[in-house]
Amino acid sequence: GSLTATAGLDRKINRHYETDLAYIGERYDVLGRIARLPPRESFATPDDGFRERSKTSLVDFADPRSRNEFGKGKAIAPIMITTENAPVKGTEARQLPGERSGFGAHIHRHDEGHDKSFFNTTNGDHFGEGSRIRSERKDPAQLQAAGISTEHEEARTQGMKVGVLCGEAFNEADNPGSNTRTQRSWLYEPDASLRNIEFGGTRPNLPKTDSALSIPIGEGAMKKVRDDLKERKGRLFRTATTITKGKGNRPGVAIFQDE
C-alpha cells in the first residue's frame, strides 16, 4: 500500500458504540465515536518477502523415525542389548543391516585400524628419521679430550682467507667472459699480478724439516709426547724404574740395583 498520510481515506470508519458512559462535568453521556483508519503495515526494514524458516539442526538432529531409509516402518534397536532381546548362541556371525558405525548403525563401533600404533613425530616427518641401529661402543681411550688441545691449536688455520689477487677473485673458468687471463689479454704487456700469481694467496705453513735459518728442534717435544700417547692407546700407566723394580725390592741379595 501507499506510505502517504492521506492514503486510504475511503476506508475510514467510526468506532463501534460502547456500553459505557462518559462523565462530562456534572452529568453522564454516551461515549463519543471517533473515526479511525485501519492500521498500516509498519516495517523496521523493507519487507522483501523472504521467509526462510528451515535450519540445519532440523536435518542433522532430526527424529530417527522421520528417516524413511532407517527408522520408518522398522524396529528401533533397543537401548541395552542383552541375551533376552538379542539371544546369541556360540560365535556371533550375523551381520546387522544398515551402516556398521556412525549414523543409522545399531551398534556404535570403532573405525577400522583405531588400535594401530603410530610412531610418527612432527620432527621426524620434517627432518627424517635417524638410524635406529645401535652403534658399537667406542673405546673411551680413542675419543678426543674435551675442550681444545694444543695439537688443534697448532694445526688450525690462522688469519683471514684471502685470494691470490688483490681486490678481485682469480677465475680460471672455461668461459672467456669470466676467465681472468682472457680478460687481461688486452693489455700491451703481461699483467704483473698474473706473472707473480704463485706468490699470492694464503702463506704456506712452516716446513717441518730444519734449515740453516731455524733452530734444529724439529716438530717440538709435544710431537713426541703425542706419539707416545698414541702408542699407549690412552693408558697412562707408570714406567717401571730401578727405584720401584730394582734388585733391592726383589728376593735375594744384590750389590748393585741395576744388575
Side-chain angles (χ1 to χ4, degrees):
S2 177
L3 298 178
T4 60
T6 59
L9 291 178
D10 55 328
R11 293 180 293 170
K12 187 175 182 180
I13 58 175
N14 294 331
R15 293 176 57 183
H16 298 285
Y17 287 102
E18 300 183 8
T19 57
D20 297 335
L21 297 177
Y23 178 73
I24 304 175
E26 299 179 354
R27 64 184 178 86
Y28 293 92
D29 199 351
V30 180
L31 291 175
R33 298 171 65 193
I34 302 175
R36 297 289 181 89
L37 288 173
R40 298 188 181 92
E41 295 183 1
S42 177
F43 307 97
T45 56
D47 184 12
D48 53 2
F50 184 73
R51 300 288 188 274
E52 181 62 40
R53 294 184 174 84
S54 61
K55 49 188 177 180
T56 56
S57 62
L58 297 178
V59 179
D60 296 338
F61 304 101
D63 188 353
R65 289 172 294 185
S66 63
R67 299 296 184 104
N68 297 331
E69 64 274 19
F70 296 106
K72 189 175 182 180
K74 296 183 179 180
I76 304 301
I79 299 177
M80 295 295 295
I81 299 179
T82 62
T83 56
E84 295 180 0
N85 52 40
V88 177
K89 296 180 180 179
T91 305
E92 173 62 31
R94 297 177 299 172
Q95 295 295 334
L96 297 177
E99 299 292 335
R100 187 179 185 278
S101 61
F103 182 80
H106 296 279
I107 302 176
H108 295 287
R109 296 182 175 91
H110 292 290
D111 296 334
E112 295 292 340
H114 74 281
D115 55 346
K116 183 179 180 181
S117 301
F118 290 90
F119 300 96
N120 293 30
T121 59
T122 305
N123 184 79
D125 294 341
H126 282 80
F127 305 103
E129 297 288 345
S131 176
R132 299 181 182 273
I133 302 176
R134 180 174 296 181
S135 58
E136 297 181 0
R137 185 178 182 275
K138 297 182 180 180
D139 187 3
Q142 302 298 328
L143 300 177
Q144 295 183 355
I148 300 177
S149 61
T150 56
E151 183 179 7
H152 176 271
E153 287 295 314
E154 293 175 3
R156 74 182 182 90
T157 303
Q158 301 183 6
M160 299 178 62
K161 184 179 180 180
V162 298
V164 295
L165 295 178
C166 180
E168 62 176 307
F170 180 68
N171 194 331
E172 291 183 313
D174 297 334
N175 185 10
S178 58
N179 187 278
T180 303
R181 297 185 185 276
T182 304
Q183 295 298 319
R184 299 292 181 88
S185 61
W186 59 271
L187 297 176
Y188 294 104
E189 59 183 13
D191 190 357
S193 61
L194 298 181
R195 286 188 287 116
N196 301 277
I197 195 70
E198 65 274 6
F199 298 104
T202 306
R203 292 184 300 175
N205 297 327
L206 296 176
K208 296 182 179 181
T209 58
D210 299 325
S211 63
L213 302 179
S214 63
I215 302 176
I217 59 177
E219 297 183 9
M222 286 303 301
K223 178 66 167 54
K224 299 178 181 179
V225 174
R226 296 189 191 103
D227 294 341
D228 183 42
L229 291 176
K230 291 179 180 179
E231 290 181 3
R232 295 185 179 187
K233 297 182 179 181
R235 299 178 179 86
L236 303 179
F237 47 80
R238 291 183 178 182
T239 304
T241 62
T242 57
I243 299 176
T244 58
K245 298 293 184 181
K247 294 291 185 179
N249 296 324
R250 298 179 181 179
V253 179
I255 300 177
F256 301 101
Q257 291 284 347
D258 55 350
E259 288 182 357

